[in-house]
DNA sequence: GTGGTGACGACAC
DNA sequence: GGTGTCGCCACCA
């Protein structure tokens, strides 16, 4: 946001995802002005596994609400984190994804 | 500068 | 809804 670094912007947005809500890689990329950089967003989130890096990456799923990054959290870690926030997860997919989906552009509406 | 890779997305079947 | 293909962008060797 405040910086021109794509990665930094991704982290900024992810940290602002409301509790109990989820968003997609594409939505973040679009908010950053590069709609087609969705792959880079996921690539950036790869940093979230670094110690001391507090990032709710478990709230970021793909366009279909699938926990595509589940493998990077290790086992059912991502699923548990989501369910802990009241988000139902079935078969690696977010139930009611359409309702729980949070668009980064809502930041402007705040 | 070039090529390969990835926690994606849109489209076709 | 699921699978395969192609396109996209940023990063690293």
């Amino acid at each position: 946001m405040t910086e021109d670094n794509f990665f930094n912007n991704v982290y900024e947005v992810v940290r602002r995802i409301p509790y109990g809500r989820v968003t997609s890689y594409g939505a973040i990329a679009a908010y950053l002005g590069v709609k087609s950089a969705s792959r880079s967003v996921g690539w950036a989130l790869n940093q979230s596994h670094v110690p001391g890096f507090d990032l709710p990456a478990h709230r970021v799923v793909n366009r279909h609400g699938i926990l595509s990054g589940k493998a990077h959290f290790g086992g059912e870690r991502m699923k548990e984190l989501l369910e802990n926030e009241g988000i139902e997860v079935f078969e690696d997919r977010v139930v009611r994804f359409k309702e729980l989906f949070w668009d980064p552009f809502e930041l402007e509406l705040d």
Side-chain angles (χ1 to χ4, degrees):
Chain A
M1 302 299 279
T2 55
E3 298 182 23
D4 293 337
N5 301 337
F6 185 83
F7 271 41
N8 208 296
N9 292 331
V10 173
Y11 306 142
E12 280 282 325
V13 178
V14 175
R15 288 200 184 103
R16 295 181 184 183
I17 300 176
Y19 179 90
R21 301 292 293 285
V22 296
T23 191
S24 66
Y25 304 90
I28 296 174
Y31 179 71
L32 298 180
V34 194
K35 180 184 174 187
S36 304
S38 52
R39 298 190 77 168
S40 298
V41 174
W43 203 85
L45 290 189
N46 210 342
Q47 276 289 299
S48 65
H49 70 76
V50 176
F53 213 91
D54 185 31
L55 199 69
H58 59 278
R59 292 176 186 157
V60 185
V61 295
N62 68 5
R63 182 67 181 89
H64 300 288
I66 299 175
L67 284 55
S68 50
K70 167 189 170 183
H72 291 262
F73 278 78
E76 303 297 289
R77 193 72 168 290
M78 191 174 182
K79 178 180 178 181
E80 292 178 12
L81 288 171
L82 290 172
E83 295 184 325
N84 189 40
E85 299 188 356
I87 301 175
E88 292 182 75
V89 178
F90 180 71
E91 295 292 293
D92 295 342
R93 281 180 285 184
V94 177
V95 182
R96 294 176 176 281
F97 172 67
K98 188 176 181 180
E99 299 174 28
L100 297 174
F101 180 74
W102 174 80
D103 195 318
F105 284 104
E106 287 185 29
L107 289 172
E108 309 298 327
L109 302 178
D110 185 8

